[in-house]
Amino acid sequence: MELKLDRITKQFREKIAVDHLSETFTSGVYGLLGANGAGKTTLMRMICDVLKPTSGQILLDDVPIEQFGDGYRAHLGYLPQDFGYYPDFSAYDFMRYLANLKGLASRFAKVKTDELLDMVGLSSVAKQKIKTFSGGMKQRLGIAQAVLNDPSILVLDEPTAGLDPKERVRFRNLISSLAQNKIVILSTHIVSDVEYIADKILFMRCGTIVSAGTVDQIVGEMRGSVWECIVAPREANAMAARMPVGNIHYGRDGQVIVRLVSESRPREDARAVEPTLEDVYLHLFQAQPSLISRRRGAHHE
Ligand SMILES: Nc1ncnc2c1ncn2[C@@H]1O[C@H](COP(=O)(O)OP(=O)(O)O)[C@@H](O)[C@H]1O
Ligand SMILES: [Mg+2]
């Protein structure tokens, strides 16, 4: 199955939330990484046919999705960012209710509900009210409902928001196990959520994809541009003012390790280090404010 976005744009009044974005999805896990306001939710809502693009087309195996009518939804599983759980429903009743809305036959829905609650580790609390659940339990229930109809396209909008580190790991493993022969598109602003499970990373900024590839490809492009220097605290501040600095680690001995991205060696004693996806993220998303402040500075001169 191939899902193709062909120059899709979404404009809300003056705001262009998604801007002529093109991408082709085949089976695998896609990690959509971007800061708040990048356009991730708007893009996902268009993919799920909740929102119509202002222009451009979405095609499933080369057929525009409008041509499928309601049939398109049958291929989809969607966990929205602001998913509404019914606090007084039990997990079991909630699943049966949604199965009903999705038009699943009753007997099949019962079997499927049991199977999915087991898969997401909620069997033992199936009869408890959702309002007693932790964030991680709610999100696992959110995944379970999204796959009730065996979707071939699974869209998860910030599914790890509010999870603790242990729940995050569990969630990642669950998504990996689900991903076979499916298109899974997962949005997040947390690099480690997708670093290990995404077959392809899409960095989104201002409604467009600014960088895309496997983790190895994206990280590889930065090789030779990530540096660490050990400096005095005052120098660390001066460096941060001059160039986008990633991590600053204050050691106990009063020295500071500064990690930064720079095409050329930033200091004589800087050491080239192996880049990580987080370096790429910080580079892509930090470059912006520093550019803006530089432009502002130029304006005042
Ligand atoms: N319904 C809407 N009306 C007006 N502006 C919107 C609407 N939805 C999103 N936006 C704007 O579009 C931009 C992208 O938003 P969104 O897709 O929610 O980004 P993300 O999910 O990456 O945080 C933001 O500037 C947001 O304010
Ligand atoms: Mg969002």
Side-chain angles (χ1 to χ4, degrees), residues 190-210:
I190 296 158
V191 172
S192 60
D193 281 349
V194 288
E195 188 161 22
Y196 302 109
I197 59 167
D199 298 298
K200 190 170 181 186
I201 303 280
L202 308 169
F203 277 108
M204 195 168 175
R205 191 174 75 193
C206 300
T208 62
I209 291 170
V210 289

Side-chain angles (χ1 to χ4, degrees), residues 12 15 17 34-43 45 81 157-158:
F12 300 107
K15 176 77 200 174
N36 283 331
K40 304 182 296 297
T41 295
T42 305
L43 177 65
R45 294 178 73 202
Q81 186 168 7
D157 197 355
E158 305 239 7

Side-chain angles (χ1 to χ4, degrees), residues 29 119-120 143 154 170-182 184 197:
V29 178
M119 180 192 77
V120 299
I143 289 263
L154 181 59
R170 178 159 192 178
F171 206 83
R172 284 206 296 264
N173 293 340
L174 173 61
I175 290 162
S176 268
S177 72
L178 273 175
Q180 273 141 21
N181 307 317
K182 275 192 191 43
V184 178
I197 59 167

Side-chain angles (χ1 to χ4, degrees), residues 2-8 20-26 30 32 43 47 57-59 185 200-203 209-213:
E2 184 189 84
L3 180 71
K4 192 168 172 186
L5 313 180
D6 184 16
R7 287 163 294 168
I8 58 169
H20 295 86
L21 188 149
S22 297
E23 179 64 36
T24 301
F25 301 91
T26 53
Y30 293 79
L32 186 61
L43 177 65
I47 290 172
Q57 253 189 342
I58 302 176
L59 305 113
I185 310 171
K200 190 170 181 186
I201 303 280
L202 308 169
F203 277 108
I209 291 170
V210 289
S211 179

